[in-house]
Amino acid sequence: MKLTLWTYEGPPHVGAMRVATAMRDVHYVLHAPQGDTYADLLFTMIERLPQRPPVTYTTFQARDLGKDTAELFKSSVRAAYERFKPQAMMVGSSCTAELIQDDPAGLALALNLPIPVVPLELPSYQRKENWGASETFYQMVRAMCHGRTRTPRTSGRPRCNLLGPTALGFRHRDDVTEITKLLDQIGIDVAVVAPLHASPSDLTELIHADFNVLLYPETGQQVASWLERQFGLPFTKTIPIGNRATREFIQEVAGLAGIDATSLANASARAGWYSRSVDSTYLTGKRVFIFGDATHAVAAARVAAQEMGFTVVGLGTYSREFAREIREAAKIYGVEPLITDDYLEVEEQVAALHPELVLGTQMERHIAKRLSVPCAVISAPVHVQDFPARYSPQMGFEGANVLFDTWIHPLMMGLEEHLIHMFREDFEFHDGAAPSHLGHGAAAPLSADAAKQPAVAAGATVLAAEQGTATALAAGSDAAEAIVVPNWAPDAQKELNKIPFFVRGKARRNTERYAQERGVHLITVETLYDAKAHFSR
């Protein structure tokens, strides 16, 4: 056994709670000792839900172990039914209660409740949270659809189900809204979203849709596969995260629905143009490390490499059930996959790779902060700040815009470092002006007197260069000679125009000064980069 400070996933009964909390008109009776009720806090304090999860704990104590804990469980189930009157009930044990080997399934069955009771057999010491959510969703769907017959429709708009969103998921609520709008634009109706906001009676309607849209394989793939095997319902394989994947998703669902969506499939988010317009010499090749659940990690690597021009230097997941998907993706980027649930291993790899951007979970956010590396969260587990009040999906075209803003802005803040190197003699960007967003890792600022010294020298030189195309450098020296400002070659001028407008003027002046000092009369692309390298030393 290994003690740990952080964990990527909780025990499987937390996954069951994510499904129960997401659904309506269900109740979960969890055989658990006093102390296992901590899981309530995940939903009320982190996700900021207005009500506590629909879970009743038996909360037996140490002194109860010498009595009949089975009777305690039965009385809790009976009381929960009388109080909440749910359409269906789930029963199971927490990891601690599993050790006393009571039988929640048999005990609940003996009560003969007039509603479906779904027993959850979740091996707490072999499996974890995402598996628990997937298995719970699967058992609920199986119980609700048992013995039912599918009736295919012959008219009306095509209909699909959205599978996988749960409580405590990373932007699940906003993703469902965004994908529902996108499907409506294509001409497809959403029949059931499950388990988020679905009731047990809604689950019985899953089989009457035309196909399923699988949004989160970690929690929905088992159900999607079962519905395909049992009722012939195909499901989508493309996760619509990023511009390209969204277009591929549109083509896939249009093919399943028999609809021509060519015009919409050619659409694009603003992020596409934005990423091309950002200074390519600055963003291209930025080294990024990615870690999270498999679905978001694979999608983030694809978007980073194909749409933003980054270089993926590390890729990993804590989802052992989806290790194969991560390994296949890692081959594409030529990196060694990291499959682990030990955050210390992740920290070691981040430190060794020295990435310029980390995309990960809240654990990687802590790691990146300690290493003074910009970071953006892309996956659960998350914390309270990852449930924003604003609309912030990860999927669809609007999701692509959100990704661009979330990933690029930490690097744009890092533009300060870029300027420090390029204009190290400038009073605004001297070496002591550390990047503000790196917090405690930032170097201490220079004193006011020290900061003024380069400003005086640089300011005098720049002023001289600005006094005309054939002017003298009057930086206080009587021996200054008149120097003619060199001309710019067309390709060098084109390269200069790629530099953001707000620093382009200074880049021009510095390059011309560099050329003047060396007697260069025609500035080429090589001269431009030589000047950049000179001022970056």
Side-chain angles (χ1 to χ4, degrees), residues 289-292 314-319 326-327 330 335-342 345-347 349-350:
F289 177 87
I290 301 167
F291 194 88
L315 178 63
T317 184
Y318 56 83
S319 303
I326 287 290
R327 291 193 179 97
V335 299
E336 187 67 25
L338 179 63
I339 315 297
T340 181
D341 57 0
D342 186 343
E345 288 186 35
V346 179
E347 183 169 7
Q349 184 144 356
V350 173

Side-chain angles (χ1 to χ4, degrees), residues 39-62:
D40 269 17
L41 301 178
L42 299 174
F43 303 92
T44 54
M45 293 186 66
I46 294 179
E47 193 168 5
R48 294 185 281 204
L49 291 177
Q51 71 281 334
R52 62 176 297 272
V55 180
T56 293
Y57 302 91
T58 55
T59 57
F60 59 84
Q61 304 175 48

Side-chain angles (χ1 to χ4, degrees), residues 57-101:
Y57 302 91
T58 55
T59 57
F60 59 84
Q61 304 175 48
R63 62 172 178 267
D64 295 321
L65 294 177
K67 305 175 186 176
D68 188 357
T69 55
E71 185 56 35
L72 178 63
F73 176 81
K74 287 198 293 185
S75 60
S76 297
V77 172
R78 195 181 297 111
Y81 171 73
E82 293 296 332
R83 179 180 179 186
F84 299 103
K85 298 292 184 184
Q87 289 184 18
M89 187 174 282
M90 298 184 290
V91 296
S93 299
S94 73
C95 48
T96 311
E98 192 179 322
L99 298 174
I100 63 175
Q101 297 184 334

Side-chain angles (χ1 to χ4, degrees), residues 216-442:
Y216 306 102
E218 277 82 356
T219 51
Q221 184 162 298
Q222 194 176 5
V223 167
S225 299
W226 183 77
L227 289 172
E228 185 175 55
R229 290 195 306 273
Q230 295 295 318
F231 299 99
L233 285 173
F235 65 93
T236 58
K237 310 299 189 298
T238 306
I239 307 301
I241 297 180
N243 250 329
R244 293 189 182 187
T246 299
R247 289 197 290 267
E248 293 170 7
F249 172 78
I250 291 171
Q251 292 174 338
E252 185 177 12
V253 295
L256 290 173
I259 291 176
D260 181 9
T262 306
S263 59
L264 190 58
N266 293 329
S268 178
R270 287 193 298 271
W273 158 245
Y274 279 24
S275 59
R276 290 194 301 275
S277 68
V278 173
D279 179 9
S280 59
T281 61
Y282 178 66
L283 289 178
T284 301
K286 283 287 185 184
R287 306 172 75 255
V288 58
F289 177 87
I290 301 167
F291 194 88
D293 66 38
T295 298
H296 285 92
V298 170
R302 185 176 59 245
V303 173
Q306 297 181 358
E307 301 184 22
M308 300 196 184
F310 295 158
T311 299
V312 177
V313 298
L315 178 63
T317 184
Y318 56 83
S319 303
R320 293 185 181 277
E321 292 85 359
F322 290 82
R324 183 170 61 183
E325 284 78 358
I326 287 290
R327 291 193 179 97
E328 290 175 354
K331 290 179 185 175
I332 298 173
Y333 309 108
V335 299
E336 187 67 25
L338 179 63
I339 315 297
T340 181
D341 57 0
D342 186 343
Y343 69 91
L344 293 177
E345 288 186 35
V346 179
E347 183 169 7
E348 287 177 6
Q349 184 144 356
V350 173
L353 291 172
H354 297 291
E356 295 165 274
L357 176 66
V358 172
L359 303 177
T361 70
Q362 65 162 323
M363 260 70 94
E364 282 66 52
R365 174 161 50 199
H366 287 293
I367 291 169
K369 185 177 181 181
R370 184 158 54 246
L371 298 175
S372 297
V373 179
C375 178
V377 174
I378 61 163
S379 161
V382 290
H383 214 286
V384 63
Q385 62 267 45
D386 298 306
F387 290 95
R390 69 184 184 279
Y391 182 60
S392 186
Q394 301 289 288
M395 295 184 176
F397 291 129
E398 186 58 26
N401 292 332
V402 172
L403 295 184
F404 179 86
D405 290 342
T406 308
W407 299 3
I408 296 299
H409 285 175
L411 294 174
M412 296 297 283
M413 291 293 289
L415 195 62
E416 296 171 26
E417 295 173 276
H418 173 64
L419 296 174
I420 288 169
H421 289 302
M422 192 166 183
F423 306 108
R424 61 184 306 176
E425 296 179 10
D426 191 283
F427 72 97
E428 291 178 272
F429 306 110
H430 59 84
D431 288 339
S436 58
H437 69 289
L438 295 184
H440 68 282

